[in-house]
Amino acid sequence: MKEDIKAYNNVLGLIGNTPLIKLNKVTENIEGNFYAKVEAFNPGHSTKDRIALYIIEEAEKQGILTPGDTIIETTSGNTGFSLAMVSIIKGYNCILAVSSKSSMDKIDMLRSLGAKVYICPAHVSADDERSYYNVAKRLHEEIKGSVYINQYFNQLNIDAHYKTTGPEIWEQTNGKITHLVACSGTGGTISGAAKFLKEKNPNIRILGVDAFGSVLKKYHETKEFDAEEIYPYRIEGLGKNLIPTATDFDVIDHFMKVTDEESAHTTREIAKREGLFVGYTSGAVMQAIKQYAEQGEFNENSNVIAIFPDHGSRYMSKVFSDEWMNEQGFFDTKNQEEAQKIEI
Ligand code: PMP
């Protein structure tokens, strides 16, 4: 009796409708009510499932994609995982050009899902022929019947969150949300969700999170691209060395920069104190909330939604490795500084 069986037709049916989970301990000294939208509950364990499914289905609707075609993308890992997952179910080949900054866990996962992975140097400029942008572009030109997802410059990235993440948050909070706090990488999540929420209530504060070493915050404030802002940093998926058109800077009220070190400690704190095993950028969002709170952003009536983009399992060899933390000098920085002085 097939119709009596309660089952999803395939894994794609589980994308979206992620839960809000109240944060109780990491926010205990901050005024307001804080809830995390935990995107790790997507089947691909990140928010990128939403855009992978949405962009591929839009291309199918327009007749651009037919089974057997090839999907190409640049990705820090999460988008690649989601595209590989959707490609398997829908019968596409998947080729991914990734940054050498991505963790080996992520790259192995992509290969496990049948994707072909090209690892490209992280610290070259976007216009360098070795950059993952140019590698992806070249492959797209060479491979017939290929689609380049181009998440940093694809309006459908914003639309995916306008159609899903934004409405879910509005419904889950019964319209009582006062602040949205989210990372900006491509900017799709914050821009799409914010666009929907601001249409419902323009007073909702949209607070972005950026990395030191990224150009986004300065661009938001000055409308100028300042290459001097760029330097290497550790957090994957947060901030950028170019200005993505998938970011709608007008719907974002403010950006806060966070450090690699504080975000790493906060990521570990979320796991230890909330039992929520989430990724490095979730720690970055939480770290930004602490800093926004210090600036007096929230009060007892604030209902703050924090987007936690992915799952902690992707960072076992990084933030959740004591050895890695030590190598970065993130354990007891002061002693490290003293040790360096002695060596000199
Ligand atoms: N966190 C992680 C772990 C990511 O991979 C990304 C995407 N690059 C983001 C946050 C930022 O999301 P968005 O690209 O929608 O701005």
Side-chain angles (χ1 to χ4, degrees):
M1 282 295 201
K2 221 166 140 197
E3 53 275 18
D4 289 339
I5 308 288
K6 293 190 176 68
Y8 291 93
N9 281 338
N10 57 53
V11 71
L12 305 185
L14 282 152
I15 294 177
N17 293 310
T18 52
L20 283 189
I21 300 178
K22 190 168 192 304
L23 297 169
N24 298 298
K25 303 272 177 56
V26 289
T27 50
E28 68 190 356
N29 298 319
I30 310 177
E31 256 191 343
N33 309 297
F34 297 86
Y35 306 87
K37 186 152 177 71
V38 185
E39 291 293 292
F41 282 93
N42 281 297
H45 301 156
S46 90
T47 188
K48 295 296 182 177
D49 282 3
R50 297 174 185 272
I51 70 161
L53 184 64
Y54 186 80
I55 295 174
I56 287 175
E57 292 196 334
E58 283 301 305
E60 287 173 340
K61 275 186 210 160
Q62 292 170 24
I64 299 167
L65 266 181
T66 46
D69 282 347
T70 299
I71 287 161
I72 297 174
E73 182 54 323
T74 56
T75 168
S76 68
N78 281 328
T79 305
F81 188 90
S82 301
L83 287 169
M85 183 179 79
V86 178
S87 296
I88 282 184
I89 302 297
K90 289 179 171 282
Y92 301 117
N93 303 309
C94 184
I95 298 183
L96 305 167
V98 312
S99 153
S100 56
K101 202 168 71 167
S102 302
S103 61
M104 262 329 278
D105 316 352
K106 282 185 176 177
I107 290 164
D108 286 343
M109 273 194 293
L110 301 177
R111 291 183 169 145
S112 308
L113 276 174
K116 192 163 185 193
V117 182
Y118 289 75
I119 302 171
C120 310
H123 306 310
V124 295
S125 70
D127 54 15
D128 189 297
E129 62 170 19
R130 297 161 297 164
S131 77
Y132 47 90
Y133 306 106
N134 282 327
V135 170
K137 240 172 43 200
R138 181 171 52 76
L139 289 167
H140 174 46
E141 280 157 16
E142 284 170 9
I143 300 169
K144 263 197 180 160
S146 67
V147 167
Y148 179 23
I149 300 289
N150 204 8
Q151 61 172 338
Y152 284 91
F153 300 96
N154 193 336
Q155 174 65 31
L156 295 174
N157 178 359
I158 296 186
D159 295 351
H161 293 286
Y162 177 81
K163 293 257 170 70
T164 67
T165 318
E168 286 171 29
I169 292 170
W170 183 253
E171 208 171 283
Q172 285 170 314
T173 60
N174 237 332
K176 302 276 192 323
I177 173 177
T178 58
H179 299 75
L180 176 74
V181 191
C183 286
S184 217
T186 67
T189 308
I190 191 166
S191 306
K195 191 168 162 232
F196 182 88
L197 293 168
K198 287 248 187 198
E199 278 173 16
K200 289 287 180 188
N201 175 3
N203 295 325
I204 295 171
R205 292 270 291 162
I206 307 298
L207 305 177
V209 184
D210 190 19
F212 285 100
S214 154
V215 296
L216 300 179
K217 179 177 163 65
K218 185 140 188 205
Y219 181 78
H220 181 247
E221 288 162 6
T222 63
K223 285 281 169 288
E224 271 169 35
F225 173 84
D226 183 357
E228 286 191 5
E229 290 281 294
I230 301 170
Y231 57 85
Y233 55 91
R234 299 275 164 228
I235 311 178
E236 297 160 38
L238 173 67
K240 210 58 217 166
N241 57 357
L242 51 74
I243 308 300
T245 58
T247 308
D248 181 351
F249 285 89
D250 293 341
V251 294
I252 301 167
D253 292 302
H254 195 82
F255 269 107
M256 177 72 76
K257 285 202 177 196
V258 291
T259 66
D260 287 340
E261 178 165 2
E262 285 174 310
S263 302
H265 285 294
T266 306
T267 310
R268 293 164 72 106
E269 185 192 353
I270 296 168
K272 288 242 164 69
R273 301 188 70 201
E274 303 286 348
L276 267 175
F277 193 50
V278 289
Y280 202 172
T281 53
S282 303
V285 168
M286 195 53 233
Q287 178 56 32
I289 286 176
K290 291 180 184 187
Q291 294 171 204
Y292 277 118
E294 277 168 21
Q295 294 185 356
E297 180 67 44
F298 312 120
N299 62 41
E300 58 180 355
N301 300 318
S302 299
N303 292 320
V304 183
I305 305 303
I307 303 221
F308 283 5
D310 72 350
H311 195 260
S313 58
R314 299 207 166 147
Y315 306 90
M316 287 311 296
S317 58
K318 295 209 164 174
V319 167
F320 294 110
S321 152
D322 285 356
E323 203 184 332
W324 184 85
M325 289 289 283
N326 226 347
E327 277 165 16
Q328 310 311 310
F330 290 174
F331 282 152
D332 205 346
T333 308
K334 229 167 154 222
N335 283 349
Q336 292 268 343
E337 279 169 10
E338 289 307 316
Q340 273 170 9
K341 267 188 220 154
I342 291 164
E343 271 173 29
I344 292 163

